[in-house]
Amino acid sequence: MTQRSNEKLAGIPMAAPDISEADVQAVAEVVRSGRLALGPKTVAFEQDMAEYIGVKHAVAVSSGTAALHLLVRALNMGPGDEVLVPSFTFAASVNALLYEGAKPVFVDVEPETYNLNPQDLEDKITYRTKAIMVVDVFGHPVEWDSILPIADKYGLKIIDDSCEALGAEYKGRKIGQFGDAATFAFYPNKQMTTGEGGIIVTDNDEIARLTRSMRNQGRGEMGAWLEHERLGYNYRMDEMSAALGVSQLHRLETFLVKRERVAQMYTERLRGFSWVRPPVVKPHVRMSWFVYVVTLAEGLNRDPVMRKMEALGVPTRAYFAPIHLQPYIREQLGTGRGMLPVTESIAARTIALPFHNNLTKEHVELVVGALAEAASVA
Ligand SMILES: *Cc1c(COP(=O)(O)O)cnc(C)c1O
């Protein structure tokens, strides 16, 4: 790689929010208004999001993790309950269960989409199993036609951690409509951002009522300010975040199209390399691209490839590091290597490449060039 292209590479971020002048204005207006919390922007954001997803209720909160935690509480999961969850996910999917003392039971994933393997899911059901924490990994919907009948058959609740899948569709239906309730997250590396933020979406009136109360210190909707009906939290979304959310949601479809285009540029450029596999997208889904993750062939050593790319000025991430192998989980749950063969095999070979709305063809060229150079010395 030449010195010149190295200079151009320096400065490609791993991820980047897409902020417009209208976004800036929307936030500034709220700051000037003086109404910074529990106001009309949060209400508007919830209405817009419920309409976009096609559900009855949306409850905005301070993060995706807070959204998951409130659902675990609303569905009454606690000590003695087992909850099926993938290990190939972000720690929040599992932590939300641990906060309440529910036991995560790790399920292996499918070798193509990296989503829950329905067969392993059913095999791990016991008389203690209460629910499934579904994760639509990297924005690819899970195989709902296999998972929903299993939940039905055994009477299991479903939380869909769809924090990576805003705008994704399964057989023409938006993700967020499946399961008892679903969550989205708006950290700046997600498809759209509110800074920090998250939201619960559901058709279930009781789940909406409970989570709305718990995010606001357990207050009832009609009660006095210092009347607390139940244990609650301060998980409220502030008005600046909600205003940014409203403004970003207007452009979400544009964002998704831009991301699809960048993903296609990567995939076309990678086609023909035998040593790396682009992400697999099933024909019956609309992928909502959260990250762009490639998988190295078995036998290639991933970590030196990442280090070499870093040296060439290209940031990468090892997405995901399996949760059942994290130190605190090993210690608490006695998990370890050998439990989840597919998860362990792919997690050792996956690399997230730089990915955001405005990556150019030239950037893609340089990133793939760096990947090829790094892989040739691994
Ligand atoms: C981003 C994400 C979350 C929520 O993250 P926050 O930082 O708390 O908003 C939860 N689960 C998954 C799978 C995620 O990718």
Side-chain angles (χ1 to χ4, degrees), residues 62-66 68 89-90 92-93 135 161 163-164 183 185-187 189-190 196-198 290 320:
S62 52
S63 71
T65 306
L68 290 170
T89 183
F90 182 56
S93 325
V135 182
D161 178 351
C163 286
E164 303 191 350
T183 60
F186 307 115
Y187 188 74
N189 71 340
K190 306 277 168 165
E196 296 283 2
F290 165 51
F320 284 114

Side-chain angles (χ1 to χ4, degrees), residues 180-235:
D180 293 276
T183 60
F184 296 106
F186 307 115
Y187 188 74
N189 71 340
K190 306 277 168 165
Q191 287 89 332
M192 60 164 267
T193 188
T194 61
E196 296 283 2
I199 205 160
I200 293 161
V201 294
T202 183
D203 280 325
N204 184 309
D205 299 340
E206 183 65 5
I207 291 175
R209 191 179 67 79
L210 284 172
T211 53
R212 203 173 281 288
S213 165
M214 285 190 287
R215 78 163 171 194
N216 189 22
Q217 306 286 16
R219 292 179 174 103
E221 249 163 296
M222 299 303 174
W225 186 247
L226 290 179
E227 188 174 306
H228 303 273
E229 295 179 355
R230 59 182 59 77
L231 176 66
Y233 306 84
N234 176 0
Y235 282 170

Side-chain angles (χ1 to χ4, degrees), residues 53 64 67-68 71-72 75 77 84 86 93 115-116 131-137 140-144 147-148 157-166 168 170 173-185 199-202 207:
I53 298 297
L68 290 170
L71 285 178
V72 168
L75 292 169
M77 299 174 201
L84 300 163
S93 325
N115 276 325
L116 280 174
I132 312 171
M133 176 73 80
V134 167
V135 182
D136 306 281
V137 172
H140 191 299
V142 296
E143 202 48 58
W144 287 108
I147 290 174
L148 291 173
K157 301 282 185 199
I158 293 183
I159 296 175
D160 185 13
D161 178 351
S162 44
C163 286
E164 303 191 350
L166 182 62
Y170 179 80
R173 262 179 78 193
K174 277 232 165 60
I175 295 310
Q177 296 181 17
F178 297 85
D180 293 276
T183 60
F184 296 106
I199 205 160
I200 293 161
V201 294
T202 183
I207 291 175

Side-chain angles (χ1 to χ4, degrees), residues 94 255 302 345:
V94 176
F255 292 171
R302 191 257 323 265
S345 165

